[in-house]
Amino acid sequence: MSESTNQPAAQLPSRDAANWAKPVDGLRVGDISPEATNLNVEGKQLSGPLAGFGQMWQKTYRIRLSGADVTPEQVIKLWKENFATFWPKGNRFFGGVGIEPGQVAVLNLAGPGGMNAPGGGPLISTGIMVIYADDESFSFMTPQGHMFAGMITFSAERETNPDSEAEQTALTTCAQVQALVRASDPIYEIGFRLGLLKEEDIFWKYTLTALADFFGVHGEEPDLKIVLVDPKVQWAQAKNVWHNSAVRTGLYTLAAPVRWLRSQAN
């Protein structure tokens, strides 16, 4: 006769538990380059798509590495090790070496055409946290004040090409960036509706093209698929404007002469 018990069965840890970041109360920036303008990250909360203000979009950028003898694992390994080197000029990623779960990075972002603030500083200083990483993908989540509230996943996989007779049976490795995001606050939402949202498309298409170039794939145009997931704005999140990292970075830049005068007086 078996003995019954009311004790809940012990749950075994998930096999991919080590690939996920542990929950945090606030972001903590570790040792990063003194070249970074480190603003709007320390102590901030993570901000997923449900915490944002604007319309929710899913954007998928994808490029085929046609002709490149490379596996998805090799693409992701190299992408992690050289993440920001594929970014457009003027944009910098300060997060140490590689991409690891729980890692917090500071982003110094430029404007269209690599435009920086007077003095060479970034137009926006913000950050990300790596919430997941394995051999074939990794994901970031944004903090309060970032342009977007949401997640971005970078991945690689093999697939056939139904549009190419030569590739209908052969598998080709593809690299992908997929963003599920909405504008963090009303200021960003207005900017995106006036056209700045296209700058995000330019940014990730440039990145994927540079990644493909590294593997010897030239002239391949990234595909873009856009889905409007939620057309409504969330007025309850309008208060997010307090954390707006573009405004805060601008104020920091304007205060540079005051900081200089204070340094001379000490």
Side-chain angles (χ1 to χ4, degrees), residues 128-186:
I128 57 91
M129 178 176 172
V130 182
I131 60 171
Y132 182 86
D134 64 19
D135 292 339
E136 295 185 354
S137 67
F138 53 98
S139 299
F140 297 164
M141 184 173 281
T142 57
Q144 295 168 310
H146 193 285
M147 302 81 72
F148 297 110
M151 299 182 296
I152 301 179
T153 296
F154 308 83
S155 62
E157 63 179 2
R158 286 187 181 274
E159 69 171 21
T160 58
N161 184 1
D163 298 326
S164 169
E165 184 176 348
E167 296 184 44
Q168 284 183 1
T169 56
L171 292 173
T172 298
T173 296
C174 299
Q176 176 176 291
V177 179
Q178 186 172 71
L180 180 63
V181 296
R182 63 198 323 160
S184 291
D185 64 44

Side-chain angles (χ1 to χ4, degrees), residues 1-2 21-22 26 37 53 70 83 95 127 147-148 156 161 164 210 227 234 242 260-261:
M1 180 176 169
S2 62
K22 293 181 171 56
T37 300
F53 171 81
V70 60
F83 183 73
M147 302 81 72
F148 297 110
N161 184 1
S164 169
V227 178
Q234 303 193 121
W242 172 253
W260 182 81
L261 288 173

Side-chain angles (χ1 to χ4, degrees), residues 17 47 63 225:
S47 182
I63 194 166
K225 181 179 180 181

Side-chain angles (χ1 to χ4, degrees), residues 96-125:
V97 179
I99 302 290
E100 299 292 339
Q103 179 181 354
V104 174
V106 171
L107 313 183
N108 284 182
L109 303 178
M115 178 178 62
N116 287 117
L123 289 185
I124 301 178
S125 177

Side-chain angles (χ1 to χ4, degrees), residues 80-266:
K80 287 178 179 177
E81 293 172 348
N82 303 275
F83 183 73
T85 63
F86 303 117
W87 279 13
K89 180 183 177 182
N91 297 280
R92 304 190 66 181
F93 179 97
F94 298 97
V97 179
I99 302 290
E100 299 292 339
Q103 179 181 354
V104 174
V106 171
L107 313 183
N108 284 182
L109 303 178
M115 178 178 62
N116 287 117
L123 289 185
I124 301 178
S125 177
T126 181
I128 57 91
M129 178 176 172
V130 182
I131 60 171
Y132 182 86
D134 64 19
D135 292 339
E136 295 185 354
S137 67
F138 53 98
S139 299
F140 297 164
M141 184 173 281
T142 57
Q144 295 168 310
H146 193 285
M147 302 81 72
F148 297 110
M151 299 182 296
I152 301 179
T153 296
F154 308 83
S155 62
E157 63 179 2
R158 286 187 181 274
E159 69 171 21
T160 58
N161 184 1
D163 298 326
S164 169
E165 184 176 348
E167 296 184 44
Q168 284 183 1
T169 56
L171 292 173
T172 298
T173 296
C174 299
Q176 176 176 291
V177 179
Q178 186 172 71
L180 180 63
V181 296
R182 63 198 323 160
S184 291
D185 64 44
I187 294 177
Y188 288 132
E189 179 69 4
I190 291 171
F192 293 153
R193 295 200 183 201
L194 291 176
L196 292 179
L197 195 59
K198 291 184 178 178
E199 291 300 319
E200 186 75 359
D201 300 339
I202 295 171
F203 188 102
W204 292 121
K205 283 185 173 182
Y206 180 99
T207 297
L208 286 177
T209 300
L211 180 68
D213 283 344
F214 182 88
F215 288 107
V217 180
H218 308 296
E220 191 81 22
E221 185 71 18
D223 295 327
L224 170 58
K225 181 179 180 181
I226 302 176
V227 178
L228 179 57
V229 179
D230 182 1
K232 300 187 297 296
V233 301
Q234 303 193 121
W235 286 105
Q237 304 297 340
K239 62 183 182 300
N240 292 346
V241 73
W242 172 253
H243 298 284
N244 188 295
S245 56
V247 172
R248 288 173 175 257
T249 305
L251 293 175
Y252 176 84
T253 301
L254 290 174
V258 176
R259 293 195 302 276
W260 182 81
L261 288 173
R262 285 179 175 173
S263 68
Q264 298 303 304
N266 293 332

